[in-house]
Amino acid sequence: MAIPLYNRDLSWLSFNHRVLQMAADSQVPLYERIKFLSIFSSNLDEFFRVRMPAILAINKVLEHDPEAAGEESPTPETLQEVLDTINRQQEEYGRIFTGMILPALQQHGIMLSYGPVQPHPELATFTRSYFQTAVQACLQPVWLSQRHKKFFPENNALYLVVTLSPQTAPDIREIVLVNIPAGLKRFLSLDAADDQYHIAFLDDVIRVHLPYLFRGYIIHDSYCIKLTRNAEIDMDEMKGDVLEEVETAIRKRELGVPTRFLYDAAMPLSLRNFLAARFDVADNEMVPGGRYHNLKDLADLPLPAGLPGAFLYPKAKPVVHPEAAAADYLLDLIQRRDLLLHLPYEQYDPVLRFFSEAAVDPDVEEIYVTLYRIASGSQIAQALISAARNGKAVTVFVELKARFDEANNIRWSKKMKEAGVKLIYSIPGMKVHAKTALVKRRRGYQWDYSGLIATGNFNESTARFYTDHVLFTSHAGITREMELLFLYLQSREQPMAYHFLQFGHLLVAQFNMLTRFTEMIDREIAHAQQGLPAKVTIKINNLQEKAMIAKLYEASEAGVEVNLVVRSINCLLTGIPESSRIRVVRIVDRYLEHARVFIFHNNGREEVYMGSADWMNRNLHRRIEVCVPVYHATLQQQLKDIVALQLADGRQAQQAIQTYVQNIV
């Protein structure tokens, strides 16, 4: 019997629509609404780079072999629904931007030129000088109408397609591509004498001054275009020098086949067809847009000085964890009791201290850590470098296949390797997504172990706006199993070669995670069937794995109360008999919800886990993920309270959690 499932791509698009709705919310500060427009655009770019290639590929297969469709395969109708959904959302985007955001800016004297309008005279004088001194030198016109000219548009780069004619032969039409330089600021601003703050797009600065670029020509029209290329490069089967192969793959990514040709909807059909043929773009890859593309750049919209603070969210001040701050030595404190951080509501300092203390403590001899997305200016990576130079045995598993962070991870890998850090690279066919660190200190003839397990990356940049939890523990069972995990990772073997590894505390994907999650839900089902209280509460980013969705349906039908907080993809269908006892909450707010928490009622003896794993096929079947039990009763209650606040009021949850964390510390 088929399991009712919602299409993952349509679900993701509904999440991105929720982001767009934040831009329309008048209760959100104005410049934060503009940032949500930026996030929406950035998300959509990634969708076309990562998901659309798979949808198009499957659609092409089904055109030739309709029987090849699997139970979860997108159909040709799905592709059309995806494209129609995107078009509707982009139209809504335009209505929000032009009908709500621009008028709101104007009410505060911020005049963002949007459309073919004449710039303010003072801005015109300034932009002419700016064009002649800074912009013109960066322009590289390509005459597309000259067939012998070969040109390969860069991924997600902006171009103006300019139609023009020689003044001496006005009947001849030429087509020229002009780059909009990515190295220059997208917006120019000026405080004018009329006491208004004028902002212009770089695109329009170039448009207005095209006659300086094409002397002796009549300029007819100009239209903005952008080509998005496939970024889903298969790095899973790398067998040789992983570092070298990933570097090669990154370069190839920018040469991927087109997945979206975004054009100004005002562009004539004849010109559109010419460009599609010239750049080898299929009809279903042509996407109409507005006058401006790459509106993710709105995140950099200039903010005039002296504007009211209400334009932005009030500055959040993460609270200090009192016990960690009072401790002279954090590693000693961890030996006495477990600690739990709730980010970004609490300061990230204890995580940085964990690594920096380990780097200089004379009794620390070994440090192990998994790094998935390393901050560009990582203090953690620097601490690991110092530790290695201080004579400690430092072992770091760096996931080189962390999408779009590969280059930064490679850069830090080379620095750490030069310092003497033992680097372990990606396992072929598998990603390591676990967020774990282990420090071993010698105490005479014995060792003490300090473990660190998080729901998010060891990344001090994202720790400011990702909601995550970080557990510090010296629990003997947990830390010994962490050591086993690191011994396995150093082998770089497939999990089946280490099937003998036994994890009793940790849940480790590829070993026992799927089995244990299933068993704990089955236990709730058994309790419900016996007339006992039965409840499952899960907070994750994505829910897509078919077997786990089926198990949640089974639990619901058995009488188990199921509460889900799912930020993004959710393939579980609500409003059907199978999900009558399932409640789903989605939270989109100031911070990016990122934590994964799993709570099983167990007839009043609740079990609480936190960790790195979403319930996606990739997480449960093709990654190394780790979830850890939270045994300390007070810390366990904190996680339960926080998830309860999210379930009670998804819209105001983050503010409520901010207050809650301030009170508990």
Side-chain angles (χ1 to χ4, degrees), residues 90 217 386 431:
Q90 288 186 316
Y217 283 85
S386 297
K431 283 186 179 181

Side-chain angles (χ1 to χ4, degrees), residues 334 338-339 449-452 471-475 478-479 482:
I334 295 170
D338 289 357
L339 304 175
Y449 290 66
S450 297
L452 184 59
L471 178 70
F472 302 82
T473 185
S474 61
H475 184 281
I478 291 173
T479 54
M482 291 177 69

Side-chain angles (χ1 to χ4, degrees), residues 57-243:
I58 294 172
N59 190 64
K60 185 172 289 187
V61 169
L62 294 179
E63 286 178 359
H64 297 92
D65 183 10
E67 300 301 320
E71 188 176 328
E72 299 178 62
S73 299
T75 64
E77 291 76 19
T78 304
L79 171 61
Q80 191 57 52
E81 190 172 356
V82 164
L83 295 175
D84 290 345
T85 299
I86 291 171
N87 288 339
R88 286 196 303 271
Q89 291 180 0
Q90 288 186 316
E91 289 173 2
E92 184 176 351
Y93 186 106
R95 291 194 297 271
I96 292 170
F97 191 42
T98 59
M100 301 173 72
I101 300 299
L102 290 180
L105 287 171
Q106 292 169 6
Q107 288 177 8
H108 295 277
I110 303 171
M111 313 303 292
L112 173 60
S113 298
Y114 190 86
V117 296
Q118 288 298 318
H120 186 275
E122 291 182 54
L123 190 62
T125 302
F126 169 72
T127 55
R128 174 182 173 181
S129 174
Y130 181 74
F131 176 84
Q132 293 174 329
T133 57
V135 179
Q136 192 165 264
C138 301
L139 301 182
Q140 301 153 14
V142 177
W143 295 73
L144 296 179
S145 47
Q146 299 175 16
R147 286 284 180 179
H148 64 280
K149 292 284 187 180
K150 298 293 183 182
F151 183 71
F152 191 85
E154 294 182 24
N155 174 64
N156 276 344
L158 295 179
Y159 299 92
L160 289 177
V161 179
V162 183
T163 58
L164 41 74
S165 301
Q167 290 178 349
T168 56
D171 293 335
I172 297 175
R173 287 294 174 106
E174 300 277 8
I175 302 172
V176 185
L177 208 62
V178 178
N179 61 305
I180 299 176
L184 299 178
K185 292 181 179 180
R186 187 74 187 280
F187 301 101
L188 278 75
S189 56
L190 175 73
D191 287 306
D194 58 3
D195 293 328
Q196 293 180 325
Y197 188 79
H198 293 267
I199 304 173
F201 278 86
L202 176 61
D203 318 30
D204 289 332
V205 172
I206 296 173
R207 291 177 200 265
V208 169
H209 297 93
L210 286 172
Y212 291 94
L213 190 63
F214 300 109
R215 296 174 62 187
Y217 283 85
I218 302 167
I219 310 297
H220 299 297
D221 292 296
S222 62
Y223 307 96
C224 191
I225 65 167
K226 179 175 81 168
L227 198 66
T228 302
R229 298 186 179 278
N230 180 4
E232 191 65 359
I233 295 176
D234 183 9
M235 301 190 213
D236 286 344
E237 298 305 322
M238 297 177 176
K239 304 292 185 183
D241 185 327
V242 177
L243 188 66

Side-chain angles (χ1 to χ4, degrees), residues 32-47:
E32 303 293 351
R33 293 167 65 185
I34 294 171
K35 287 180 183 178
F36 279 112
L37 289 176
S38 169
I39 294 168
F40 173 89
S41 295
S42 179
N43 287 347
L44 196 57
D45 277 351
E46 183 170 341
F47 180 84

